[in-house]
Amino acid sequence: MLLKSAAAGLATLLALAAPLASANPTPKGNFSYNDKEFLLNGQPYQIIGGQMDPQRIPKKYWRHRLQMARAMGLNTIFSYIYWNNLEPVPGQWDFRDRNDIAQFFRIAQEEGLHAVLRPGPYICGERDWGGFPAWLSQIPGMKVRENNKPFLDASKKYLDRLGAELRRLQVTNGGPILMTQLENEYGSFDKDKAYLQSLADILRSNFDVFLYTNDGGGKSYLDGGSLHGVLAEVDGDDSKAAFEARDKYVTDKTMLGPLLNGEKYITWIDDWAANSTHHITSGNADAVASVVADLEWVLQNKHSFSIYMFHGGTNFGFENGGIFVNGRLNAVTSSYDYGAPLDESGRPTEVYHKLREMISKYVPKGSIPALPATPDLTEVNEFALFPAVALFDTLPKEPSKKSDQPVTMESLGQSYGFVLYDHTATEDSSGILVAGDVPRDRIIAYVNGKKVGVVDRTYVTPKAVQLTLMKGDVLRLLVENLGRVDFSQPLREQAKGIVGDVKVGDKALSGWSAYSIPLSSLPKDLSGKAAVKDTPVFYTGTFKVKDSAKTDLSGDTFLALPKGVKGQVWVNGVNLGRYWTVGPQQSLYVPGVYVQAHGRDNQVVVLELEPSADVKLTGKGIATRIWGNNPDPDAP
């Protein structure tokens, strides 16, 4: 009886395993380390890596981008995973399209690459709230990145679900994933070892590859972010200095092993501001030489590295985060080009070619494949955009919520986009507008439909907007979430919309209607003709690509709106991201996979937040990207 049951059980297991089998199954492997070296199946393995996050790249381009990584000489891809994209609503999971993480790692393996998993739950990465879903803030007792039961419970559900997707892709199961990062630069935030241990336990229950930590090259960073029994690694622009810091400040032998610069910075991020210029390495001979020399030193000394970013990709839609430093919100641009070796459109740059040449000296001859063919970017002739409907005319008849004081964006069940707050004055008042504790993040104020000012947290001292309200006047405040803080102490509490009372002078205004405007989809009817006034307007237009025999990559272009002030752009229903005249980003990447060919129209929708009846909006597709800055028309 026992033998019969065992046989039946074995048959069941074999049946379950059958879909995973192949004619030539991948043998199981092992990744470990000793004092000086990483070991893949017992043999020394030098990580020549680069960061590439699948959720910033159109799925159809994953293989091309991974081929470009392999063709530069990389052998390992490091990838953050964005929890907020995977679980946009509690308990509702989305592993489709750009969230099909497992498929990304399968393709990486097919292209001869290994992978390092960086799942968070906090990942920084200039993502909205460091990758946390906005709904976390609505859980009672929630304290993120602490030994806090509500946070650990939510994190466990996320990591358990991610483990179910990815555990079969670990090297121990024949997959490409070599190791998993614990948290992310935690020493830059706190030093709660009980939290780190609890999170390590959750990760170990889901992944059997070893864990590592990654922190900046300073004593407080390494003291706070490391954990007994977990390999401590370090990051920074100067690999030698970072490694010296690791060896100096990490003395627990259970944390020691080979040296890895887990984030070798090529340059830095871009943020929206009239005085924030585009960061780039290619074209600067000294900067290129410095990057190449640093990484060559790493290879010569048999250490390991990951380039941050090898390929940055795009913050599509409202996905960008912000860094709060020097008293202002540094709202990250839609482009996450990052001055990377592989630019936002997947084209190799000068630093790519220089690194490829250098790496080829340290790997077996002929092991680096040829560069994949990449067609030139396309151009699109200038086309007109026509005002279709005013944003406020698309609102429902009834508000999302009525209350005495304004409510937050998250309390409306909303994560991104805008909230419109309406108040009808019950008495006369006059003075400076104060919209909650601090601007969160950009507020356009209207009185009786006329724009009266902008309050903007990207300035250390936002503009003081003077208001005069008479009884019966309608005050409207359109509040835009420019991206939740992903780095620095304000990260702990990241409610958007209006938090606190709205005052005019010293008088708090009571009685508000809130309209949720997440723009997760476009208005159904954009066929009208709107009168352009002070309030935001949806514009529409079309363009055709020149090449009737277009392939996906040959349809790539950069969409510029030379007369636009600020807003959002959709092409064929895909939210490409924000534009803002202040720069430094002056065009939006349009992946060719989102573009229709063969003479068909491509539908463009632009939400212009600050339209003018005297300005005719146009768009055009450019093949050579232009970066630059313009004065802010709403500057304090």
Side-chain angles (χ1 to χ4, degrees):
M1 189 70 177
L2 282 171
L3 288 174
K4 185 176 181 181
S5 296
L10 178 61
T12 300
L13 288 172
L14 290 172
L16 289 171
L20 301 174
S22 63
N24 297 295
T26 304
K28 294 183 178 182
N30 176 266
F31 191 65
S32 60
Y33 58 90
N34 57 31
D35 290 347
K36 298 293 183 184
E37 297 174 311
F38 291 106
L39 301 170
L40 179 59
N41 300 324
Q43 299 300 310
Y45 183 82
Q46 189 173 25
I47 295 175
I48 305 175
Q51 183 87 14
M52 186 193 308
D53 302 339
Q55 289 157 291
R56 277 195 173 107
I57 307 165
K59 184 178 181 180
K60 286 187 177 181
Y61 284 174
W62 285 350
R63 189 175 297 277
H64 172 262
R65 304 302 195 255
L66 290 163
Q67 288 174 343
M68 294 298 292
R70 189 71 195 89
M72 200 182 84
L74 301 188
N75 59 20
T76 308
I77 292 297
F78 288 60
S79 295
Y80 280 141
I81 309 299
Y82 311 148
W83 180 7
N84 55 349
N85 284 27
L86 297 181
E87 193 182 10
V89 176
Q92 295 184 19
W93 299 94
D94 183 1
F95 285 92
R96 300 168 299 170
D97 196 44
R98 289 187 287 128
N99 293 330
D100 189 0
I101 311 299
Q103 181 63 11
F104 176 80
F105 287 132
R106 291 187 194 101
I107 296 172
Q109 186 172 31
E110 289 169 4
E111 296 301 329
L113 291 158
H114 295 289
V116 171
L117 181 64
R118 309 183 78 188
Y122 166 79
I123 54 91
C124 188
E126 290 70 62
R127 298 296 287 186
D128 187 271
W129 207 10
F132 291 147
W135 50 259
L136 281 182
S137 67
Q138 300 303 292
I139 297 176
M142 174 62 62
K143 294 182 180 180
V144 300
R145 302 184 82 187
E146 293 185 22
N147 192 38
N148 167 266
K149 189 176 186 303
F151 179 65
L152 288 170
D153 287 348
S155 296
K156 185 177 188 305
K157 290 177 182 177
Y158 156 61
L159 291 170
D160 286 352
R161 185 66 180 82
L162 188 65
E165 290 287 318
L166 300 181
R167 66 173 58 97
R168 294 179 181 179
L169 294 170
Q170 298 174 101
V171 65
T172 48
N173 291 316
I177 298 173
L178 301 177
M179 58 185 184
T180 299
Q181 183 176 314
L182 168 63
E183 240 278 353
N184 186 74
E185 296 181 325
Y186 188 67
S188 299
F189 181 78
D190 209 337
K191 53 184 178 182
D192 185 343
K193 300 300 181 182
Y195 161 61
L196 286 178
Q197 186 61 61
S198 295
L199 191 58
D201 292 343
I202 294 171
L203 286 167
R204 285 171 173 150
S205 71
N206 283 287
F207 303 102
D208 54 19
V209 294
F210 69 82
L211 304 180
Y212 78 102
T213 57
N214 195 78
D215 286 282
K219 187 177 189 305
S220 64
Y221 302 143
L222 289 161
D223 285 350
S226 58
L227 183 67
H228 179 77
V230 176
L231 177 64
E233 297 294 6
V234 70
D235 62 31
D237 181 61
D238 185 334
S239 296
K240 187 173 186 292
F243 292 163
E244 288 173 350
R246 203 290 298 262
D247 285 346
K248 179 178 180 180
Y249 299 124
V250 178
T251 57
D252 182 338
K253 291 183 179 179
T254 70
M255 303 179 191
L256 293 174
L259 289 162
L260 163 70
N261 186 341
E263 292 186 7
K264 160 60 186 179
Y265 303 117
I266 291 292
T267 181
W268 200 238
I269 57 170
D270 290 337
D271 69 285
W272 295 110
N275 60 352
S276 290
T277 56
H278 175 52
H279 294 85
I280 194 165
T281 300
S282 295
N284 182 330
D286 290 341
V288 172
S290 176
V291 167
V292 173
D294 182 90
L295 292 178
E296 183 159 24
W297 178 89
V298 174
L299 294 181
Q300 286 172 340
N301 286 275
K302 302 189 184 304
H303 303 313
S304 294
F305 65 77
S306 174
I307 296 168
Y308 194 96
M309 298 288 296
F310 163 71
H311 174 54
T314 306
N315 292 314
F316 290 106
F318 301 106
E319 295 178 3
N320 69 281
I323 299 176
F324 195 81
V325 293
N326 300 322
R328 61 176 288 264
L329 175 66
N330 294 252
V332 178
T333 56
S334 296
S335 171
Y336 201 62
D337 185 272
Y338 217 99
L342 198 67
D343 74 12
E344 186 180 0
S345 74
R347 270 74 182 177
T349 65
E350 177 190 7
V351 73
Y352 177 101
H353 292 291
K354 293 291 186 182
L355 287 172
R356 184 174 191 260
E357 179 183 356
M358 183 274 289
I359 292 170
S360 69
K361 296 186 295 184
Y362 297 92
V363 298
K365 187 175 181 180
S367 64
I368 297 178
L371 279 172
T374 306
D376 292 336
L377 287 125
T378 193
E379 294 185 346
V380 175
N381 292 332
E382 189 170 37
F383 58 93
L385 292 161
F386 303 97
V389 62
L391 172 66
F392 297 165
D393 289 343
T394 68
L395 301 178
K397 291 182 179 179
E398 292 298 320
S400 306
K401 190 175 183 64
K402 291 183 178 181
S403 55
D404 289 337
Q405 278 71 45
V407 296
T408 65
M409 176 179 285
E410 293 79 6
S411 70
L412 297 172
Q414 181 182 343
S415 297
Y416 313 108
F418 305 80
V419 178
L420 178 66
Y421 298 89
D422 272 15
H423 167 79
T424 300
T426 58
E427 56 182 328
D428 298 351
S429 60
S430 181
I432 301 296
L433 171 67
V434 178
D437 55 356
V438 293
R440 303 194 183 203
D441 297 311
R442 190 170 187 271
I443 303 166
I444 308 178
Y446 308 88
V447 175
N448 299 329
K450 182 176 177 58
K451 177 184 167 187
V452 293
V454 175
V455 183
D456 187 344
R457 201 185 187 191
T458 65
Y459 289 94
V460 175
T461 304
K463 190 172 187 176
V465 175
Q466 178 76 35
L467 289 186
T468 297
L469 293 179
M470 307 297 290
K471 184 178 179 180
D473 283 349
V474 176
L475 172 64
R476 284 187 148 180
L477 303 176
L478 182 65
V479 183
E480 180 181 5
N481 170 8
L482 289 176
R484 292 177 181 82
V485 170
D486 67 270
F487 180 81
S488 75
Q489 290 303 317
L491 179 144
R492 293 183 187 274
E493 188 278 302
Q494 279 296 290
K496 292 299 183 183
I498 295 178
V499 180
D501 288 334
V502 174
K503 297 180 180 179
V504 174
D506 59 358
K507 190 173 294 184
L509 306 182
S510 181
W512 291 89
S513 295
Y515 294 85
S516 176
I517 312 176
L519 292 181
S520 50
S521 61
L522 287 166
K524 292 181 179 179
D525 187 3
L526 289 169
S527 61
K529 185 176 181 181
V532 178
K533 298 180 182 178
D534 271 6
T535 62
V537 171
F538 285 102
Y539 288 74
T540 61
T542 62
F543 69 85
K544 293 181 172 67
V545 294
K546 296 178 180 178
D547 185 3
S548 60
K550 180 188 81 72
T551 64
D552 288 340
L553 287 168
S554 69
D556 286 354
T557 190
F558 293 104
L559 180 61
L561 304 168
K563 298 177 183 177
V565 176
K566 190 180 191 307
Q568 209 78 17
V569 180
W570 292 258
V571 169
N572 295 327
V574 177
N575 190 339
L576 299 180
R578 309 174 197 266
Y579 67 92
W580 198 348
T581 186
V582 298
Q585 182 176 347
Q586 297 293 343
S587 59
L588 284 159
Y589 174 47
V590 185
V593 292
Y594 300 149
V595 174
Q596 300 187 95
H598 309 297
R600 290 179 292 179
D601 284 338
N602 289 279
Q603 304 295 323
V604 180
V605 176
V606 174
L607 173 61
E608 171 58 59
L609 297 174
E610 301 186 37
S612 170
D614 299 328
V615 175
K616 307 298 183 186
L617 286 189
T618 61
K620 62 179 179 180
I622 58 176
T624 302
R625 198 164 203 177
I626 299 170
W627 303 86
N629 300 88
N630 295 308
D632 183 356
D634 302 303

